[in-house]
Amino acid sequence: QADMDEDLAREAITEFLKIARESVARTLGEEAADLDWQNVTEGLADQVEEARALLAPGRREYLRYRIDHGAEEYALELVQPCAVCRVDRVSPVQGLFHLGLLLAEDPAHGPTSGADAPPTAEPGPVAAAEQAEQRAASVTALARQLLAQHPDAGLTVDSTYVFGHDDGSARAELRLKASSLDGLRAIAAATGQDVAAKVSGSVPGTVFGHATVAFTVDGTDVQVRFHTGLTDDEADAWRAQQDQPADGGDA
């Protein structure tokens, strides 16, 4: 009986790790599923199963996948142990792009708000320039991060706009171009946004298809676009459609 119970336990762990990898793959991609996922039981309630995987050798951060059978809930989370405060920071992971943003933050000096926020100093005489400089550095880091996270999209930076204000605030815009529509769609899926598409014939003799994805990251407005010329047949069909009256009657 003991041998049978041990075999059943091993089969249950194997099945749970399979479920965990499949769920992680749907959220973060196959590479995350290929991490060294290990079953964990210590400190868990009887109805909870957990699997953990280090993101990379030598790093403290790890992913954990949990199933609470009692509540019929599951969660994929990033755990960032803090070497300073000795308290783990646990964050739900919504996608690969979101994971990159979480990893870019320092868990020991993460964002603070409310009563825990430090007092705000009065902005100095060059606050606008200082804020623009800091924001420009963050925009550069964000651009590099997006290029690294979406290598198949063929991203290039089209333009950047950085604004600093004398009250100590700042904002920025980052515009990128994608080399393929599939790459743009992958970015839209990773950020949870919709692709906005339109067709225009602003250049004589040429009709273009445009697609864009827009989202905001830490105060930076990001827009990724893709455009391509339509084939002659597609352009003719679009022109014919523009010639139709709005009420659908005879021209």
Side-chain angles (χ1 to χ4, degrees), residues 100-200:
L101 295 179
L102 293 173
L103 292 173
E105 297 178 358
D106 183 354
H109 304 90
T112 56
S113 61
D116 297 330
T120 303
E122 288 295 326
V126 292
E130 291 172 343
Q131 289 300 318
E133 181 180 22
Q134 294 174 14
R135 180 65 69 172
S138 68
V139 169
T140 301
L142 176 59
R144 288 174 175 160
Q145 180 180 331
L146 289 171
L147 266 65
Q149 290 177 338
H150 302 282
D152 297 333
L155 292 176
T156 57
V157 176
D158 186 22
S159 61
T160 60
Y161 301 88
V162 178
F163 307 90
H165 305 284
D166 60 3
D167 62 356
S169 63
R171 70 182 186 89
E173 297 177 8
L174 172 62
R175 298 180 182 178
L176 304 104
K177 293 185 292 186
S179 63
S180 69
L181 183 57
D182 287 341
L184 185 72
R185 287 171 175 161
I187 295 172
T191 56
Q193 302 297 320
D194 295 327
V195 176
K198 68 176 183 178
V199 177
S200 67

Side-chain angles (χ1 to χ4, degrees), residues 28-139:
L28 299 176
E30 294 295 337
E31 292 184 358
D34 292 337
L35 294 173
D36 185 18
W37 289 91
Q38 300 292 327
N39 185 64
V40 177
T41 58
E42 184 178 355
L44 298 177
D46 293 339
Q47 75 273 15
V48 177
E49 292 184 280
E50 179 178 316
R52 297 181 181 179
L54 288 172
L55 289 176
R59 296 195 63 154
R60 300 191 307 270
E61 305 97 337
Y62 62 88
L63 293 169
R64 77 179 185 192
Y65 177 83
R66 279 186 174 182
I67 294 181
D68 186 338
H69 295 283
E72 297 184 352
E73 296 177 346
Y74 71 92
L76 176 62
E77 299 167 320
L78 172 69
V79 181
Q80 296 171 286
C82 177
V84 177
C85 62
R86 305 296 181 183
V87 176
D88 293 349
R89 178 181 180 182
V90 180
S91 307
V93 178
Q94 301 169 0
L96 187 60
F97 180 79
H98 184 224
L99 175 62
L101 295 179
L102 293 173
L103 292 173
E105 297 178 358
D106 183 354
H109 304 90
T112 56
S113 61
D116 297 330
T120 303
E122 288 295 326
V126 292
E130 291 172 343
Q131 289 300 318
E133 181 180 22
Q134 294 174 14
R135 180 65 69 172
S138 68
V139 169

Side-chain angles (χ1 to χ4, degrees), residues 208-228:
F208 288 96
H210 307 265
T212 59
V213 172
F215 50 95
T216 301
V217 180
D218 293 336
T220 298
D221 296 327
V222 182
Q223 183 187 83
V224 187
R225 65 185 182 90
F226 168 76
H227 75 277
T228 184

